[in-house]
């Protein structure tokens, strides 16, 4: 008797711009054995380049301009109804530049993940690479985490370390970190979608089997 494969988790990606992480997730999800499928890409900015790429690659897209909504909560009502319509089970934020209400975050607790271009809990917030260079740290990186109401907080699913070199500018450092983001985001989403990364308290527990297949800490030094 062969074990039946569990159905793929239905994932929406929320973006605001370029969408290179979105692209990495969509490409990874094309693999037959990937545990998630990308059923929707939504952007609060109608002109986001990522929307064009997603549509050209056969992924349903939605432009939901936040400026057409009277409040953050109104915007989220529209977003939630699109998520319901597409039967979305998990949300992956990928450069989504809009804060969410605590109610929305609570509704998606442990079902919404984000990527941030630093080794959290260091360097939360914007202009990360500028601040990393100003601080003079020699190692930075990126983090995939579950979303909590406080910005860039939440249980850590995956991290990669990236060296800072003395000739770095914010742009060269961002490019090196971005390459690491594209590596870890697909494996982190796979861990969550397959049910192998589980929140226990406010920490993530990963099943042994997955540790072997997808190392969580992947230093590129
Ligand atoms: C990435 O650096 C991500 O970590 C941050 O915003 C940037 C988005 O880039 N949250 P992209 O749109 O995925 O190319």
């Amino acid at each position: 008797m062969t074990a039946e494969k569990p159905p793929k988790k239905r994932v929406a990606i929320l973006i605001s711009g370029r969408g290179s992480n979105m692209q990495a997730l969509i490409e990874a999800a094309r693999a037959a054995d990937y545990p998630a499928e990308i059923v929707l890409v939504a952007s609060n900015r109608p002109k986001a380049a990522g929307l064009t790429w997603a549509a050209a690659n056969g992924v349903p897209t939605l432009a939901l301009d936040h400026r057409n909504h009277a409040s953050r909560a109104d915007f989220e009502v529209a977003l939630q109804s699109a998520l319901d319509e597409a039967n979305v089970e998990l949300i992956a934020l990928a450069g989504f530049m809009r804060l969410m209400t605590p109610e929305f975050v609570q509704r998606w607790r442990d079902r919404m993940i984000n990527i941030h271009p630093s080794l959290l809990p260091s360097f939360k917030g914007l202009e990360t690479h500028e601040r990393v260079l100003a601080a003079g740290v020699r190692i930075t990186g990126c983090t995939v985490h579950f979303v909590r109401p406080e910005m860039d907080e939440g249980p850590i699913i995956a991290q990669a370390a990236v060296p800072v070199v003395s000739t770095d500018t914010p742009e060269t450092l961002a490019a090196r970190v971005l390459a690491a983001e594209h590596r870890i985001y697909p494996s982190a989403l796979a861990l969550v979608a397959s049910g192998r990364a589980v929140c226990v308290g406010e920490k993530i527990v990963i099943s042994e089997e997955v540790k072997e297949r997808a190392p969580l800490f992947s230093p590129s030094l």
Side-chain angles (χ1 to χ4, degrees):
M1 204 172 82
T2 52
E4 238 178 70
K5 269 203 180 164
K8 289 175 182 245
K9 278 273 176 335
R10 297 176 65 81
V11 175
I13 305 176
L14 305 189
I15 63 168
S16 297
R18 177 179 56 183
S20 69
N21 278 291
M22 170 210 78
Q23 199 173 321
L25 294 177
I26 290 172
E27 279 167 353
R30 285 186 181 137
D33 62 349
Y34 196 77
E37 60 179 316
I38 312 305
V39 297
L40 179 68
V41 169
S43 172
N44 65 311
R45 293 190 191 280
K47 290 193 175 143
L51 278 183
T52 311
W53 190 93
N57 282 270
V59 181
T61 58
L62 171 71
L64 200 59
D65 194 337
H66 62 271
R67 291 166 303 187
N68 297 340
H69 297 270
S71 66
R72 219 170 271 282
D74 270 5
F75 169 79
E76 289 171 358
V77 167
L79 177 60
Q80 183 62 50
S81 88
L83 297 170
D84 288 342
E85 192 151 318
N87 292 317
V88 168
E89 297 169 285
L90 290 173
I91 297 176
L93 305 180
F96 184 66
M97 302 300 286
R98 193 119 184 98
L99 287 178
M100 283 155 161
T101 65
E103 292 72 29
F104 188 88
V105 175
Q106 184 56 32
R107 181 170 195 162
W108 287 91
R109 189 182 172 90
D110 299 345
R111 296 186 298 145
M112 178 157 63
I113 64 177
N114 181 44
I115 186 152
H116 182 75
S118 77
L119 287 176
L120 291 175
S122 295
F123 303 106
K124 295 173 181 173
L126 298 174
E127 312 213 321
T128 318
H129 306 299
E130 284 81 350
R131 289 182 293 117
V132 160
L133 291 176
V137 297
R138 308 308 302 266
I139 294 176
T140 184
C142 51
T143 303
V144 180
H145 63 99
F146 280 106
V147 176
R148 293 291 181 262
E150 305 76 28
M151 191 174 60
D152 299 328
E153 268 194 27
I156 291 171
I157 303 157
Q159 291 186 303
V162 174
V164 180
V165 298
S166 49
T167 51
D168 265 333
T169 62
E171 292 72 30
T172 59
L173 185 55
R176 197 176 308 116
V177 171
L178 195 63
E181 294 182 41
H182 298 163
R183 278 204 319 276
I184 67 164
Y185 211 179
S187 55
L189 176 60
L191 287 174
V192 173
S194 60
R196 286 161 174 159
V198 176
C199 265
V200 178
E202 282 296 271
K203 291 205 182 105
I204 297 300
V205 175
I206 309 278
S207 76
E208 286 305 313
E209 184 196 351
V210 171
K211 267 190 204 155
E212 282 159 29
R213 289 180 40 201
L216 283 192
F217 179 73
S218 49
S220 46
L221 286 172

